[in-house]
Amino acid sequence: MPIQSTMGLKKIYVAPALADGTMPAKGTDWLDLGDVYQDTCTLTDDDPEVTEHKSETSSKKITLTGEIATNVALSLMDPDLEQLARYFGGTLTGDAGQRKWIRPRKLPYKEWAIWLMPEEGLFVGCATARILPKFEITYSSKGICLVPMTIKFQAELQADEGMTDPTVAE
């Protein structure tokens, strides 16, 4: 049996989440999240709430756990105005080369489906997630515009060993 190994990040895809909570079908609804800054993408689970019940009169112990919260942290590198409007909301006006974007003071509530495509191995995704972006721009000779993001999974994590590019319809 071959060894399964998941490594590297090739691309992250997002699509508007479906009302029924299922993963959207492959096709043109899936978009490239954008350029992810090198070595910034991590998927982690928070520690669940743990409650232990112990008997006073025997060795009986019951351990209950709460839900596991999964988050992806990354930084988007040099996003364009369409990406800023997609993730922050707001208004994009004007013609190419003369456009302006105005960010709202509060992020709109928008749910996304997500697939993380590795260089090799398992695709990991979620049918319903929130993308929470923020600005981080260093104005110096070595600075760059980054948009740190936290992607909060709001449904079950999915791992798929047979998944391929979700933008290609079957």
Side-chain angles (χ1 to χ4, degrees):
M1 182 169 181
I3 297 173
Q4 177 68 31
S5 177
T6 300
M7 60 184 114
L9 177 66
K10 190 169 188 177
K11 198 169 285 281
I12 298 176
Y13 294 100
V14 295
L18 299 179
D20 66 2
T22 60
M23 191 64 88
K26 290 181 174 185
T28 57
D29 286 343
W30 288 96
L31 304 169
D32 182 349
L33 176 82
D35 286 332
V36 176
Y37 195 65
Q38 183 176 6
D39 298 331
T40 64
C41 185
T42 58
L43 183 146
T44 55
D45 286 337
D46 292 346
D47 292 330
E49 180 181 330
V50 176
T51 304
E52 285 191 352
H53 300 279
K54 298 178 185 176
S55 171
E56 291 285 343
T57 58
S58 72
S59 62
K60 184 175 182 178
K61 184 184 346 181
I62 300 171
T63 303
L64 303 173
T65 59
E67 291 184 4
I68 297 172
T70 301
N71 298 298
V72 177
L74 61 92
S75 289
L76 200 61
M77 178 177 149
D78 279 337
D80 60 30
L81 292 178
E82 286 89 4
Q83 291 168 329
L84 293 174
R86 183 184 308 151
Y87 304 124
F88 284 98
T91 306
L92 184 59
T93 60
D95 298 324
Q98 299 292 318
R99 296 177 303 163
K100 293 182 183 193
W101 169 64
I102 298 173
R103 179 180 79 173
R105 295 188 55 87
K106 183 178 179 184
L107 292 173
Y109 187 85
K110 189 167 186 180
E111 293 179 329
W112 296 93
I114 182 170
W115 279 117
L116 288 88
M117 177 184 190
E119 289 289 340
E120 181 178 316
L122 297 173
F123 273 68
V124 174
C126 183
T128 309
R130 283 288 316 271
I131 297 176
L132 305 173
K134 62 182 184 176
F135 266 114
E136 183 178 302
I137 302 174
T138 302
Y139 291 103
S140 71
S141 63
K142 295 180 183 179
I144 191 169
C145 175
L146 297 175
V147 175
M149 294 181 161
T150 301
I151 301 172
K152 294 187 165 288
F153 285 22
Q154 297 190 148
E156 293 80 9
L157 178 145
Q158 300 180 28
D160 192 330
E161 63 184 7
M163 181 69 178
T164 57
D165 184 341
T167 64
V168 179
E170 295 181 332

